[in-house]
Amino acid sequence: MSTTNQDKCFLHNQKRNSFCHNDEVLVCLICQQSKEHKVHVCCPVEEAAEQKKTEISACLESLKKKLKVLMNTKEQWEEIKTYIQTQACETDTGIKEEFKKLHQFLKEEENTRLQALKQEEETKTQIMCKKLENIEEQINTLSSTISDIETALKAQDIQLLQDYKKTKKRLQCSIGEPEVIRDILINSAKHLGLLSFQIWKKMEDIVRCVPVVLDPNTAQFNLELSEELSCVQYSSKKLLPNNTERLINRVSVLGATGFTSGKHSWTVDVGQGKDWYIGVALDSIQRKNTIFLSPAEGFWVIGLSNGDSLWAQTTPRSKLPMKEKPNRITVELDYDRGKVIFINAADSTKIHTFKDKFTEKVFPYFSPGLCKDVQNASPLTICPQIIKVKVE
């Protein structure tokens, strides 16, 4: 390689054949022996270039991994954006079906609710468009940086080392991990849950009211929910986004409303299912990873196993006495006193009582269990309350 002006030291007009690691600059032999660099760590250009290539390559791999995370997140967000529109369409249909059961004088109420749904769809779609726009910008920026650094790595040693500071600065990527998006899906529970009850003042003779509404945004992929979100059963797998709220570690779904105080109760018709679990769970439960149903994991539930044995999911689990399988079980939550009581609704006898201390929001929990024959899957149904002038 011929010596150019760039290769020579501006102070001593000598070839710069060493690299000072302390100052990260090229130096000549005289510079290396000078007071300024004498105590510094220096090495030949070829050796330094090889070291810096290794250093830059390691950082570059980190950037590439970050780009892969961004690309995967973008793909997931694209799916969520598409599903928001699909979900909005399905919710729209559900609302319309509900209103078909009512008389024409409720049309104004129907239009009001559809408008609210449309506004939520537009708002959340706009949010996702903005977030996708932002992540696209991050991807473009990171892709451009990676491309420039890869180009810099292909340069000759002298050029690479001259540009090292600038290249190193570009490696200091300020793009963080993609944010976790919560509550971005259509709030179907708000639009569909208790819809009839909310207009009960006008139609109290024909409405049904359940104390707990299921949240479809938490339902595992194999669960089918009824239109009024009061019944759940095992079904064929559905193409749903793996959003933050969704439970995928067990075939289960949460209630739409959580509790942080007071007394609450609901009765569940457990049907003829051979494996099911009902009770309450904390908002902070593991929703994606493998977990055990126990208070230590944030679950206070009982369940039927193999169709013949009833268990309280304690640690270890406790087998409960059972003369005959209960058909309807009432779950009573006393948040302030830390109690979850399970009662056989047929004769009001207590099945089991959990005692604990709650420090965060607690949600109703339902798991209808697996079923090989999907057509004969038995549902868990939240029983309607008796409606009078007010709900008791």
Side-chain angles (χ1 to χ4, degrees):
M1 183 186 297
S2 61
T3 303
T4 65
N5 290 333
Q6 286 185 336
D7 295 342
K8 290 186 177 182
C9 173
F10 296 111
L11 294 176
H12 309 107
N13 200 29
Q14 297 292 315
K15 182 178 180 181
R16 296 186 294 178
N17 53 9
S18 294
F19 182 76
C20 174
H21 286 283
N22 295 74
D23 294 333
E24 296 180 340
V25 294
L26 289 164
V27 295
C28 68
L29 183 60
I30 299 175
C31 289
Q32 189 174 345
Q33 299 300 320
S34 68
K35 180 179 179 180
E36 182 179 1
H37 296 284
K38 189 172 184 179
V39 296
H40 290 179
V41 177
C42 299
C43 68
V45 165
E46 294 77 7
E47 182 181 333
E50 194 63 33
Q51 291 177 1
K52 297 309 178 185
K53 282 182 180 180
T54 301
E55 177 185 326
I56 293 173
S57 296
C59 294
L60 184 61
E61 283 304 311
S62 177
L63 294 183
K64 287 181 177 180
K65 289 179 180 178
K66 184 172 290 189
L67 177 61
K68 185 177 180 180
V69 171
L70 290 175
M71 294 293 288
N72 290 338
T73 302
K74 179 191 174 185
E75 183 178 349
Q76 292 175 1
W77 287 3
E78 290 281 8
E79 292 176 358
I80 288 177
K81 176 187 172 184
T82 301
Y83 184 70
I84 286 173
Q85 297 166 345
T86 301
Q87 193 182 26
C89 181
E90 293 173 351
T91 306
D92 182 277
T93 301
I95 292 174
K96 289 178 178 177
E97 287 300 319
E98 253 330 274
F99 274 95
K100 285 180 181 179
K101 301 172 185 177
L102 308 175
H103 283 288
Q104 187 61 37
F105 70 89
L106 294 175
K107 192 67 177 179
E108 184 176 346
E109 178 73 12
E110 179 185 8
N111 290 336
T112 299
R113 290 179 176 277
L114 289 175
Q115 183 58 40
L117 171 63
K118 188 64 177 178
Q119 179 62 47
E120 183 178 0
E121 178 194 4
E122 292 174 354
T123 299
K124 291 187 174 179
T125 300
Q126 288 174 2
I127 290 173
M128 288 308 304
C129 286
K130 182 63 178 177
K131 291 187 181 298
L132 285 165
E133 180 180 343
N134 290 340
I135 200 171
E136 184 69 38
E137 291 177 358
Q138 292 177 339
I139 289 171
N140 291 338
T141 299
L142 195 53
S143 296
S144 177
T145 299
I146 291 172
S147 177
D148 291 345
I149 293 173
E150 288 178 332
T151 301
L153 285 173
K154 297 176 182 177
Q156 294 182 351
D157 293 348
I158 295 296
Q159 184 65 46
L160 181 142
L161 294 173
Q162 284 182 330
D163 295 339
Y164 172 70
K165 286 185 177 180
K166 181 173 68 174
T167 303
K168 182 181 178 182
K169 186 175 181 180
R170 297 207 67 181
L171 285 169
Q172 298 172 356
C173 178
S174 61
I175 298 176
E177 296 295 325
E179 66 177 294
V180 176
I181 304 178
R182 291 182 63 89
D183 300 321
I184 189 60
L185 298 181
I186 295 296
N187 192 342
S188 302
K190 180 183 71 175
H191 296 289
L192 293 174
L194 301 182
L195 179 60
S196 297
F197 182 66
Q198 291 178 23
I199 56 171
W200 158 70
K201 294 177 184 178
K202 302 175 183 178
M203 306 288 291
E204 67 173 323
D205 291 335
I206 62 171
V207 299
R208 293 174 70 253
C209 174
V210 291
V212 170
V213 173
L214 303 175
D215 184 356
N217 294 342
T218 68
Q220 193 266 355
F221 303 116
N222 287 90
L223 292 183
E224 181 78 34
L225 274 60
S226 63
E227 289 185 3
E228 291 189 347
L229 307 178
S230 61
C231 180
V232 57
Q233 69 181 65
Y234 188 81
S235 183
S236 55
K237 189 173 183 179
K238 299 169 183 58
L239 293 176
L240 301 172
N242 186 11
N243 50 293
T244 307
E245 301 84 359
R246 195 171 306 282
L247 298 160
I248 64 171
N249 48 19
R250 283 185 175 271
V251 184
S252 54
V253 61
L254 297 179
T257 301
F259 310 110
T260 56
S261 63
K263 296 180 179 180
H264 311 273
S265 68
W266 55 95
T267 299
V268 183
D269 187 333
V270 296
Q272 301 302 313
K274 294 184 177 181
D275 294 276
W276 50 258
Y277 296 96
I278 60 173
V280 300
L282 295 179
D283 186 26
S284 61
I285 57 173
Q286 290 287 339
R287 304 188 183 213
K288 312 300 180 184
N289 302 323
T290 302
I291 46 87
F292 297 97
L293 295 179
S294 69
E297 297 285 350
F299 297 86
W300 293 266
V301 302
I302 66 170
L304 189 70
S305 179
N306 298 320
D308 57 12
S309 55
L310 194 62
W311 297 85
Q313 293 300 121
T314 52
T315 305
R317 66 175 185 165
S318 307
K319 190 171 184 178
L320 302 174
M322 183 178 65
K323 294 180 180 179
E324 60 182 25
K325 288 191 294 185
N327 293 321
R328 293 189 176 191
I329 298 175
T330 298
V331 182
E332 292 187 352
L333 168 67
D334 188 337
Y335 187 97
D336 301 315
R337 297 179 65 186
K339 288 186 176 182
V340 185
I341 304 172
F342 297 86
I343 300 172
N344 188 335
D347 55 14
S348 298
T349 57
K350 288 186 179 180
I351 299 174
H352 184 73
T353 299
F354 284 99
K355 294 182 180 180
D356 216 316
K357 183 178 181 180
F358 303 122
T359 58
E360 62 176 274
K361 187 174 288 189
V362 174
F363 287 83
Y365 178 86
F366 307 86
S367 175
L370 301 172
C371 183
K372 293 182 179 180
D373 185 0
V374 174
Q375 300 298 324
N376 293 320
S378 182
L380 293 177
T381 304
I382 303 165
C383 300
Q385 294 173 308
I386 297 174
I387 298 177
K388 298 182 180 178
V389 176
K390 63 178 181 180
V391 178
E392 296 181 343

